[in-house]
Amino acid sequence: MSFDSLGLNTEILRAVQEQNYTTPTPIQQQAIPIILSGKDLIASAQTGTGKTAGFVLPILQKLAESQSKVTNPTAKGKRPIYALILAPTRELAAQIGDNIRDYSRYLAIRSLVVFGGVSINPQMMKLRGGVDILVATPGRLLDLLQKNTVELSTVKVLVLDEADRMLDMGFIHDIKRVINKLPKKRQNLLFSATFSDEIKQLSQSILQSPESVSVAKENSSSEQITQYIHRVDKSRKRELISYLIGKNQWQQVLIFTRTKYGANHLAEQLTKDGIKASAIHGNKSQGARTKALADFKNGQIRVLVATDIAARGLDIELLPYVVNYDLPHVAEDYVHRIGRTGRAQNKGQAVSLVCIDDLPQLKAIEKLLGMSIPEIKTDGFAVNPNIKASPPPAKKISQRSGKKVVK
Ligand code: AMP
């Protein structure tokens, strides 16, 4: 199947082509026609499956069609919000916004991303100017609603992206308050990596006779990812991770820790070992988070240490290594974590450092996956700490096309 057969206009197809997407991914093949038909949709899609384009492209198509019906599109007056996309984290919202910008390059549409942690005034100003597609985290959207600076009564399409994570993060009441501000007649699209009972309940209360699409087995982890564990004493985890990075010459490593403190501490220790590292978590300012992510993407830092919430939705193409410094309390989070690698047809490795305290979590994860994760033994370990600090000569990794650009 090609993009041409999906009913998208030439402007959208041109933008997609420029992203070097040749064929629609399975979620795109299934979701795009349903969304274009106007039906509600519930989609279970693994991270990295191309689900964002799966909903953004048909929304752009419908929006372009609705704009062409307006007799005088340049008429003064506020641009009504056509689509509202809710996402759990600032990073994910920003990435959706980037994708919309890329895909709508040849369309006359306006989109805006709003999230907390940054000044609200510029967001209010932009809203006043009118936007067609609004991407928001629930909390900031409620702030804007309270200030009467956003009008949602015109919304035709609502997207709940990573709905499972929004529920995990306690956004259910915020979501319901936002939904109360929407018109009753609208199209609803719900995307979720997992299909828990809570998600089923939410979908029943929001969606009307939805079509459902599932592109991966529930809670399965991508086949592109090689998973293994190292058993190690808790006190030697940092030493082991430094050793692995040095010995294997890993260059772009995303490490998960359970706590913000743990993330900071590990990033500091690795930096002392000669491995450039930054931490990304909820206590960091938005500026610091954006910088850490940008530095990581362009190879300025070698390791990004993240907590689960901060890492949710990070889209770094070609990310080769994910390390679980400690295992997550919730087994499903393991699947989300390792889903940061092995994206869009690329291979990845997910390495977990398991100490005695992690064993109950390991058991829960293996039960969820329906397999046991192989162990690789490491002897006494050494290499470190004189690891060459610098990542390889700046081979920048382009986020979207996946092409390596030598600078
Ligand atoms: P997502 O699941 O939306 O986070 O997308 C994961 C990655 O796949 C992103 O980097 C997209 O740019 C990329 N992508 C989306 N659609 C396609 C496609 N049809 N072909 C190749 N890559 C794609």
Side-chain angles (χ1 to χ4, degrees):
M1 186 189 257
S2 72
F3 276 102
D4 295 359
S5 59
L6 285 173
L8 302 169
N9 69 29
T10 47
E11 287 81 11
I12 298 173
L13 290 175
R14 190 171 154 206
V16 165
Q17 213 173 15
E18 285 179 12
Q19 297 300 312
N20 295 327
Y21 301 171
T22 46
T23 39
T25 63
I27 184 78
Q28 291 162 4
Q29 292 182 19
Q30 295 178 54
I32 293 175
I34 295 172
I35 299 174
L36 287 176
S37 77
K39 289 190 187 131
D40 280 7
L41 173 73
I42 177 161
S44 162
Q46 244 177 333
T47 40
T49 53
K51 67 184 163 61
T52 316
F55 64 79
V56 170
L57 299 178
I59 287 176
L60 291 175
Q61 174 66 31
K62 285 155 68 82
L63 175 59
E65 282 168 16
S66 80
Q67 281 177 338
S68 69
K69 285 186 198 132
V70 178
T71 39
N72 183 3
T74 54
K76 281 222 162 68
K78 221 169 155 186
R79 243 177 138 109
I81 297 176
Y82 178 86
L84 172 66
I85 301 168
L86 290 181
T89 63
R90 305 156 184 188
E91 281 78 15
L92 181 61
Q95 273 163 204
I96 297 170
D98 288 349
N99 285 2
I100 296 173
R101 208 187 44 227
D102 289 339
Y103 306 146
S104 66
R105 188 172 294 170
Y106 302 108
L107 298 172
I109 71 120
R110 282 198 217 149
S111 59
L112 178 66
V113 180
V114 294
F115 46 69
V118 295
S119 167
I120 199 167
N121 291 335
Q123 298 176 353
M124 290 181 356
M125 298 263 288
K126 287 190 186 133
L127 279 167
R128 221 169 282 144
V131 295
D132 301 299
I133 303 179
L134 181 63
V135 187
T137 52
R140 177 50 62 97
L141 183 59
L142 282 179
D143 292 344
L144 289 159
L145 278 166
Q146 248 156 25
K147 290 180 187 291
N148 272 328
T149 48
V150 60
E151 176 55 62
L152 298 180
S153 64
T154 58
V155 168
K156 299 271 187 287
V157 187
L158 168 71
V159 181
L160 299 178
D161 194 17
E162 306 212 343
D164 48 350
R165 180 50 55 132
M166 287 203 277
L167 296 193
D168 288 350
M169 289 171 72
F171 282 140
I172 184 69
H173 298 296
D174 289 356
I175 293 174
K176 288 194 168 152
R177 280 164 69 193
V178 169
I179 287 177
N180 278 338
K181 303 279 179 193
L182 299 175
K184 291 244 162 353
K185 193 169 168 297
R186 56 169 202 269
Q187 186 178 17
N188 302 289
L189 315 173
L190 185 148
F191 287 78
S192 185
T194 51
F195 251 145
S196 63
D197 289 345
E198 287 79 13
I199 288 292
K200 284 174 191 150
Q201 256 172 23
L202 177 73
S203 69
Q204 274 160 13
S205 69
I206 296 177
L207 308 182
Q208 291 192 350
S209 328
E211 294 277 328
S212 80
V213 160
S214 175
V215 293
K217 214 170 113 245
E218 276 179 44
N219 295 333
S220 66
S221 50
S222 162
E223 280 162 18
Q224 320 254 105
I225 306 170
T226 311
Q227 304 171 56
Y228 54 93
I229 62 165
H230 291 300
R231 287 181 200 267
V232 59
D233 221 56
K234 192 173 185 174
S235 62
R236 296 192 72 198
K237 281 190 175 183
R238 197 266 300 145
E239 200 188 326
L240 176 58
I241 188 64
S242 283
Y243 165 76
L244 292 171
I245 292 171
K247 175 171 167 277
N248 301 314
Q249 284 296 306
W250 289 348
Q251 298 301 344
Q252 207 185 24
V253 190
L254 178 62
I255 303 183
F256 285 94
T257 59
R258 251 183 246 144
T259 64
K260 296 168 190 169
Y261 170 79
N264 281 342
H265 191 57
L266 182 61
E268 280 163 24
Q269 285 184 316
L270 290 176
T271 305
K272 278 191 197 142
D273 287 350
I275 299 166
K276 284 192 183 167
S278 282
I280 183 166
H281 54 68
N283 283 2
K284 296 258 174 186
S285 71
Q286 187 54 35
R289 287 160 70 161
T290 308
K291 181 169 185 312
L293 186 58
D295 286 350
F296 185 58
K297 280 181 177 172
N298 67 27
Q300 296 283 313
I301 57 168
R302 193 162 173 176
V303 171
L304 189 64
V305 191
T307 54
D308 288 294
I309 286 176
R312 178 73 176 186
L314 291 182
D315 172 22
I316 306 156
E317 208 166 290
L318 296 183
L319 182 59
Y321 307 104
V322 167
V323 176
N324 293 305
Y325 191 75
D326 31 38
L327 289 176
H329 283 305
V330 181
E332 279 83 2
D333 280 342
Y334 174 85
V335 180
H336 295 313
R337 285 180 175 193
I338 70 167
R340 307 291 110 206
T341 181
R343 313 196 99 195
Q345 274 103 57
N346 295 302
K347 296 232 178 288
Q349 282 185 32
V351 183
S352 300
L353 308 191
V354 178
C355 69
I356 197 153
D357 297 347
D358 294 308
L359 290 178
Q361 279 90 356
L362 179 64
K363 218 170 147 196
I365 290 163
E366 292 187 330
K367 191 169 166 219
L368 178 75
L369 298 176
M371 61 175 253
S372 64
I373 307 172
E375 178 184 353
I376 294 189
K377 290 215 188 316
T378 41
D379 299 311
F381 42 96
V383 184
N384 200 37
N386 300 323
I387 297 168
K388 278 237 173 326
S390 52
K395 255 190 187 169
K396 289 200 173 175
I397 294 177
S398 114
Q399 193 190 341
R400 223 149 299 283
S401 69
K403 276 192 208 143
K404 288 189 175 164
V405 185
V406 181
K407 291 250 163 158

